[in-house]
Amino acid sequence: MRIKNICCIGAGYVGGPTMSVIAFKCPEIKITVVDSSPEKIKAWNGPIDKLPVYEPGLSEIVKKVRGRNLFFSNNIKDSIQQAQMIFVAVNTPTRTSGKGAGMAADLKNVESCALDIAKYSNNNKIIVEKSTLPVRTAEKIKEILIKENSHVHFEILSNPEFLAEGTAIQDLFKSDRILIGGDPTPKGRKAIKALVEIYTRWVPKGKILTTNIWSSELSKLASNAMLAQRISSINSLSSLCQKTGAKINELSKAIGLDHRIGPHFLEPSVGFGGSCFKKDILNLVYLCQYYGLYEVAEYWNQVVLINDHKIKDFASRIVNKFSNDLSKIEIIILGWAFKANTNDSRESPSIYVAEQLYLANASLSIYDPLVEKDKVINDIKTYWKKSKNFKKIVTDISVLGNQKFDIKSYDVCVILTEWDEFKEIDFKGKVVFDGRNLLLKVPNKNYEYYSL
Ligand code: UDX
Ligand code: UDX
């Protein structure tokens, strides 16, 4: 079967860029991206420099394909009805209540997509799981689809996304691998073939791996867990370096030169952030516990605990330097995004470091070149757990967003995102805490400098 019409549910960081690239590479396929948020669809259809997701190279692609074979629409019913293949790219946050609260993935968004698909489908569909999901979710989706609509056949595939924010377009163009999991039945194999054909338009066949559905679902969780594990490992060693006089950048280089280990994901940091790592590891931990594998669960949980510890420890170093009282100190937080080249701040270490500084009475300003003011304020409202008086907080803090600022007004500068532009700032006379080791290589510093 040749696919000519695709629908994608979820116009977020994964759905938007992924569908833009498929549309760009396959001009004969009509792709409609729908979302439960009308504002998001409006923004995707709005000015090209104000798309809801910032990714280098994304707007150029959207400009070429939007209105040609890529459409953003609120009409979920028609888009589902017309599609042969439906990608599910909605978010799957950690459950906040009920069984598995704080650990397991909340599947309510995926379930609501399955209900919509069942309700509106009047011919056979291939459903592609793009969202990161716990192992055996496909079974659950299938159950809902069959229960709600027994007139058509639904074939479920798992095709997890491995793009990293900030390099999403590059990652989509030059993927290390494409993973497609499906059932080993004739219909399953046919569906896998249809999806393989889409990717072979630009991905070499040797990089497309087909597996059973459970291997595919688990590979995504395991890949993220292994990447995060490397960061926690190097971050745990950076704490030891501070005690012993070893240098973490030298250690990282020396370790990474062993070809069996390799140099990637050994960059020390204030801690990893982003929507995936913590959520996916906790999900893995929950799965292990569910299957009674308590030692395995404990092993992976430690990756998250080290990360939480690293974030707290970094904030404590700043607070301790001023004997636990920052009341007379003007601090600027440089960077709110969880990494450079994205406007995404989900699980950003900045959120947690900033709260600890605020609790020690610091006078705070927050700057990020891409994260908008409203988003910063919303993060504070949602995630600051110990500071309840939100009205007071927003009057106490100066959220600059991407507004220009005068570095002379601050005593202490805390770098939390590795934005290149921070390398250009003249920090003369300041105290600089560098949570990214961004300025480590600057010779002859004329400021007091604390690295990782
Ligand atoms: C993705 C994956 O899908 C998630 O599983 C992974 O762990 C992180 O990356 P992402 O694209 O980053 O999620 O999420 P987000 O940017 O929040 O986009 C999800 C979109 O789905 C939102 O625009 C939201 O409005 C939409 N949505 C959510 C629906 O359209 N329907 C729903 O029922 C729920
Ligand atoms: C991650 C995975 O890399 C990607 O394959 C998956 O699809 C989604 O989750 P993402 O979270 O977008 O991607 O970005 P990533 O580059 O992995 O960075 C995650 C966090 O780790 C960031 O906060 C980053 O600053 C931090 N990091 C990364 C380090 O602290 N050190 C490193 O060496 C690398």
Side-chain angles (χ1 to χ4, degrees), residues 23 29 32 46 55 58 61 63 67 72 90 184 254 282 288 331 348 436:
I29 303 179
T32 309
E55 275 297 337
L58 174 66
I61 292 185
K63 207 170 159 187
F72 294 93
V90 295
L282 290 177
C288 295
I331 297 185
S348 179
R436 295 285 176 172

Side-chain angles (χ1 to χ4, degrees), residues 161-165 220 224 227 231 265-267 269 271-273 276-277 338-339 418 436:
E161 191 49 75
F162 294 106
L163 62 81
E165 288 175 34
K220 169 73 192 212
N224 275 348
L227 290 169
I231 304 170
F265 272 74
L266 286 181
E267 209 67 69
S269 64
F272 58 74
C276 287
F277 282 176
F338 80 95
K339 63 187 279 197
E418 69 284 21
R436 295 285 176 172

Side-chain angles (χ1 to χ4, degrees), residues 9-16 34-37 40 44 53 76 88-93 108-110 112-113 116 130-133 165 220 224 275-276 279-280 344 346:
I9 311 180
Y13 282 90
V14 169
V34 297
D35 198 287
S36 56
S37 154
K40 205 159 246 186
W44 277 109
V53 169
I76 299 180
V88 177
V90 295
N91 48 331
T92 46
K108 69 172 189 312
N109 292 342
V110 175
S112 118
C113 289
D116 276 350
K130 261 286 166 211
S131 304
T132 308
L133 297 168
E165 288 175 34
K220 169 73 192 212
N224 275 348
S275 72
C276 287
K279 168 175 77 70
D280 290 353
D344 191 351
R346 287 178 289 181

Side-chain angles (χ1 to χ4, degrees), residues 191-410:
I192 292 177
K193 190 164 172 268
L195 187 54
V196 168
E197 264 173 28
I198 293 176
Y199 284 113
T200 43
R201 300 293 296 273
W202 75 98
V203 180
K205 267 210 167 114
K207 288 191 169 186
I208 303 178
L209 188 67
T210 59
T211 66
N212 80 28
I213 206 154
W214 322 126
S215 302
S216 171
E217 287 180 341
L218 185 56
S219 295
K220 169 73 192 212
L221 289 186
S223 295
N224 275 348
M226 300 274 278
L227 290 169
Q229 179 209 44
R230 287 173 66 101
I231 304 170
S232 278
S233 297
I234 203 73
N235 281 343
S236 71
L237 291 167
S238 92
S239 302
L240 184 61
C241 285
Q242 275 157 29
K243 299 274 180 208
T244 58
K247 290 188 173 154
I248 190 60
N249 56 324
E250 293 178 352
L251 206 70
S252 167
K253 187 163 183 196
I255 297 169
L257 280 171
D258 183 329
H259 76 276
R260 295 167 303 176
I261 299 173
H264 303 293
F265 272 74
L266 286 181
E267 209 67 69
S269 64
V270 53
F272 58 74
S275 72
C276 287
F277 282 176
K278 188 171 182 181
K279 168 175 77 70
D280 290 353
I281 298 173
L282 290 177
N283 204 332
L284 185 65
V285 170
Y286 180 73
L287 268 172
C288 295
Q289 286 175 348
Y290 178 85
Y291 287 104
L293 305 169
Y294 300 108
E295 290 79 5
V296 185
E298 201 38 50
Y299 174 75
W300 287 110
N301 197 35
Q302 203 57 34
V303 174
V304 174
L305 294 184
I306 285 285
N307 198 55
D308 291 346
H309 169 74
K310 190 76 206 173
I311 295 170
K312 274 195 205 119
D313 186 55
F314 185 79
S316 300
R317 279 175 70 199
I318 304 172
V319 177
N320 291 343
K321 154 106 185 122
F322 299 97
S323 312
N324 296 324
D325 182 12
L326 301 178
S327 55
K328 295 198 173 60
I329 318 274
E330 289 287 339
I331 297 185
I332 183 161
I333 301 249
L334 295 170
W336 194 256
F338 80 95
K339 63 187 279 197
N341 291 322
T342 178
N343 60 346
D344 191 351
S345 58
R346 287 178 289 181
E347 283 301 327
S348 179
S350 302
I351 301 171
Y352 306 105
V353 172
E355 183 177 22
Q356 286 196 57
L357 300 182
Y358 178 74
L359 288 170
N361 298 320
S363 165
L364 282 186
S365 295
I366 298 169
Y367 168 85
D368 188 283
L370 273 192
V371 184
E372 282 171 8
K373 233 171 145 169
D374 288 354
K375 215 176 206 178
V376 177
I377 292 171
N378 192 45
D379 285 337
I380 291 174
K381 191 172 181 183
T382 315
Y383 298 106
W384 281 22
K385 296 282 182 247
K386 290 187 189 143
S387 337
K388 301 277 183 222
N389 190 344
F390 181 65
K391 271 196 187 138
K392 180 165 169 6
I393 295 171
V394 287
T395 51
D396 285 350
I397 290 181
S398 161
V399 180
L400 302 168
N402 62 1
Q403 244 171 274
K404 284 216 167 358
F405 60 87
D406 183 2
I407 199 72
K408 293 199 186 81
S409 320
Y410 303 97

